[in-house]
Amino acid sequence: MGTLYLCPTPIGHLDDITYRTVRTLAAADLICAEDTRHSLRLLRHYNIERPLLSFHEHNSVQRIPQLLERLRGGEDIALITDAGTPAISDPGEDLVRAAIDAGIRVVPLPGAAAVITALIASGCSTRAFVFEGFLPTDNRNRRRILSRNAEEVRTMIFYEAPHRLQQTLEEMAEVFGAQRQVTLCREMTKAHEEFEYTTLGDASARYGERMPRGEYVLVVAGRSERALTEERYAAARRGDLSEDMRRHMDAGLTEKEAMKAVARERGVSKRAIYSEWKRR
């Protein structure tokens, strides 16, 4: 039984590759690459001569059974992507799942990842974050995902293509608020690396005046937990608490249990509901 190796490649600067990755690529029986012509330049830079096979979103369904058969036959396969860590926002995740289900050993190697590189340079909180990758191209699903994150308190990270950047920034400013902090990251690790620290409103206006170049990583600050809590407390005070409490009590809950249920529904503490209920 062979092994599937997940090998990160540089996201820009060719020196950003580990010794272990170079050794693994040089020893693999087969290297699967998103774009073989693009990856060939990297392999030549490190004097690696191994068989290359294309593996991308348009042929993954056909390729996966073929690769599993070769892995079962004892071949070691290295999976790479055009830039960064494979299996993140690409069909590599389907190959990984199929290999795991088939009982094939999967070995991840650490290395470059655009999402982490952007996060640590963003100035946003790194304690907890949400990675959404590329947003859907259709308006309805894109807006659904943005709306789902409207009250997210964790830092949010998105990938975006240059021709959709302005529209995405406009929609983010509408959903998250024009004053929400955002860091726009482009050409990371390259000679013309850019980090723009601004707000969604300012970024939307700026990119409406010029056509961006290159793919972007957008790091958006999460909502203030304090502001969110205050907003929920205000909502709790505005709502018809008597009606909600009666609904739960009519269903058989005790007063205490009803307060707990209402607090859960409104996203506030039980103490807030208790205080408001006793004032009525």
Side-chain angles (χ1 to χ4, degrees):
M1 190 79 75
T3 299
L4 175 63
Y5 292 94
L6 310 180
C7 300
T9 55
I11 61 175
H13 200 298
L14 287 179
D15 288 347
D16 294 334
I17 192 168
T18 68
Y19 292 122
R20 184 184 176 195
T21 295
V22 172
R23 290 196 303 269
T24 300
L25 292 174
D29 295 300
L30 175 70
I31 298 174
C32 289
E34 188 175 359
D35 183 336
T36 54
R37 292 170 300 178
H38 176 86
S39 297
L40 190 58
R41 293 194 292 271
L42 173 68
L43 298 179
R44 285 174 175 167
H45 181 79
Y46 286 99
N47 298 313
I48 297 171
E49 296 184 5
R50 304 307 301 157
L52 267 174
L53 184 69
S54 65
F55 180 80
H56 47 71
E57 62 178 333
H58 302 297
N59 69 4
S60 61
V61 174
Q62 293 77 29
R63 284 280 193 250
I64 288 176
Q66 300 169 6
L67 297 174
L68 292 180
E69 188 62 28
R70 297 182 70 159
L71 286 162
R72 290 191 188 98
E75 293 187 49
D76 290 334
I77 296 178
L79 176 67
I80 61 176
T81 186
D82 283 351
T85 300
I88 296 180
S89 289
D90 74 26
E93 67 175 306
D94 297 327
L95 177 58
V96 170
R97 171 49 56 191
I100 292 171
D101 290 343
I104 294 168
R105 184 182 178 216
V106 176
V107 176
L109 276 62
V115 58
I116 298 300
T117 305
L119 174 64
I120 62 176
S122 68
C124 296
S125 172
T126 61
R127 184 184 62 82
F129 62 92
V130 178
F131 175 62
E132 288 285 0
F134 285 100
L135 289 167
T137 56
D138 61 290
N139 294 335
R140 184 175 181 179
N141 282 328
R142 186 171 58 251
R143 179 57 66 99
R144 176 180 58 81
I145 290 177
L146 290 177
S147 297
R148 184 180 69 195
N149 285 284
E151 294 190 349
E152 180 60 68
V153 297
R154 293 170 294 181
T155 298
M156 296 169 285
I157 307 173
F158 304 84
Y159 290 163
E160 192 51 278
H163 63 280
R164 289 196 297 266
L165 181 64
Q166 183 189 2
Q167 180 182 0
T168 295
L169 289 171
E170 289 176 350
E171 292 180 347
M172 284 182 172
E174 181 180 340
V175 175
F176 301 147
Q179 296 306 309
R180 185 74 67 88
Q181 294 297 308
V182 61
T183 301
L184 293 88
C185 312
R186 188 181 76 89
E187 297 287 280
M188 290 185 295
T189 78
K190 300 179 182 179
H192 302 291
E193 179 179 71
E194 290 183 6
F195 295 99
E196 293 186 54
Y197 305 95
T198 183
T199 64
L200 287 170
D202 287 345
S204 174
R206 184 179 309 126
Y207 282 94
E209 301 171 355
R210 63 184 175 95
M211 174 60 71
R213 298 179 62 185
E215 290 186 347
Y216 280 75
V217 181
L218 308 177
V219 186
V220 183
R223 281 206 62 181
S224 162
E225 291 194 53
R226 179 176 179 179
L228 184 58
T229 299
E230 290 175 351
E231 183 178 295
R232 286 175 171 173
Y233 270 63
R237 290 193 295 271
R238 288 195 301 270
D240 189 341
L241 184 59
S242 296
E243 181 178 331
D244 288 344
M245 286 289 293
R246 183 56 55 192
R247 172 168 50 85
H248 286 292
M249 292 170 72
D250 287 346
L253 297 186
T254 65
E255 183 182 62
K256 184 177 181 180
E257 290 169 337
M259 283 190 284
K260 185 176 181 180
V262 173
R264 183 170 58 250
E265 289 174 351
R266 298 189 178 195
V268 299
S269 69
K270 180 183 171 183
R271 177 174 294 181
I273 297 298
Y274 176 85
S275 298
E276 184 68 18
W277 176 246
K278 292 304 180 183
R279 283 201 297 267
R280 291 173 182 247

